[in-house]
Every structure is written in structure tokens, then in C-alpha cells.
Amino acid sequence: MSERPADKRAGFARWLGSRDCTDCWKANRDADSESKQQWLAARRAEEQQAADDWAEKFDMPPLEGPEKALQWGARSRYQLMTTAHTALVIEGTWDEADWAKLEEKARTITRAGWWIDQRDAAGTDLLELLDAATEADRGTENPFR
């Protein structure tokens, strides 16, 4: 406290009084991290189930890449596609025919890393991003399903 100016000591003391000591704070933080991890695992499972259901419903191909990137890529694809649909069709001026063309382009991108890289993109940018994708991002499967 002696390092603080006299006019700031009372406010700082009041603030310190409302906080846990360092040991208590660390114990609470460690206890909270377990519940946060459980919550995050449950949230990820819900998101993954929604992404898997969506991919099956809209005939999206499985993604390719490292095992640990596949689920993240699927969730990223689902989130970007649903955000784009909302922005372009529901709130925008696109009709279902325009959206169907975009979906076909999206089906050609099977590299999980591409979808992960685009996870923060705006939905309105999806068409431009799909056009910019390279052959390395596209799968080798028959495009005529």
C-alpha cells in the first residue's frame, strides 16, 4: 500500500477486501477449470452432433485431413454454411437456386483445414472464399456423385 498515492489507497484497500486471497483464488480457479472442461466437452459434443446431422441432411462429403482436425473442420463448415445461409438467403436477396449453386461449390471443398481457416469469415464472404479455394483444398472424389 505504501507504493500507492495516498488518495488511491482507500479505494485499493476496498477493492482488495472484495477479492479472495491468492491461495483461495487459485483453488477456485482450479475447481472451476474442471467444470469448465466438462461444460466445454458437452458443448462440443452438441455442436458435433448438430454438424454431423446437418452434413448428412445436406449430403456434404466427409472431410479429409489429420484425425484431430476432422471434427473441428466439420463444426467450422457447419457454422460457416449456416451463417452464410442466414445472411444470404434468409436476410439477404438470394433465392434457393442461388444457394444450391453455392452448396455445390462447398461440397467440393473437403480439406478440413480449409474450413478451419475460414471459421471467422463472414457468411456473406463465403462465395468469394469458395471461388478462391485451390485444388489442394478440393477432394479427389468424383464431383458428379
Side-chain angles (χ1 to χ4, degrees):
M1 295 286 270
S2 63
E3 295 176 6
R4 298 210 176 262
D7 63 337
K8 298 192 190 265
R9 289 181 194 151
F12 184 62
R14 195 171 29 257
W15 180 80
L16 283 174
S18 68
R19 303 286 179 242
D20 290 335
C21 69
T22 303
D23 293 335
C24 295
W25 176 80
K26 286 181 181 178
N28 286 337
R29 181 194 62 191
D30 292 343
D32 283 348
S33 69
E34 288 179 28
S35 64
K36 284 180 187 174
Q37 289 175 352
Q38 291 172 348
W39 176 85
L40 185 58
R43 176 81 175 151
R44 287 284 182 257
E46 289 173 14
E47 290 174 350
Q48 190 64 47
Q49 186 61 49
D52 293 344
D53 292 346
W54 173 86
E56 184 177 333
K57 180 179 179 182
F58 292 101
D59 196 27
M60 291 291 162
L63 296 178
E64 301 166 352
E67 186 65 32
K68 69 181 197 174
L70 295 178
Q71 289 187 343
W72 189 14
R75 288 190 310 269
S76 297
R77 175 175 66 181
Y78 165 69
Q79 290 166 352
L80 183 55
M81 290 291 288
T82 55
T83 300
H85 187 268
T86 300
L88 298 172
V89 179
I90 296 173
E91 296 172 354
T93 59
W94 282 33
D95 61 15
E96 288 300 322
D98 294 330
W99 180 252
K101 291 176 187 174
L102 184 134
E103 267 187 342
E104 282 304 315
K105 284 186 178 189
R107 283 185 184 94
T108 66
I109 308 297
T110 58
R111 188 174 70 84
W114 187 89
W115 291 102
I116 294 169
D117 291 344
Q118 313 313 320
R119 70 186 179 273
D120 294 326
T124 55
D125 295 338
L126 183 56
L127 182 60
E128 182 180 358
L129 294 169
L130 290 169
D131 288 339
T134 65
E135 287 302 313
D137 301 317
R138 299 182 196 288
T140 56
E141 293 293 317
N142 181 356
F144 302 104
R145 293 186 312 224

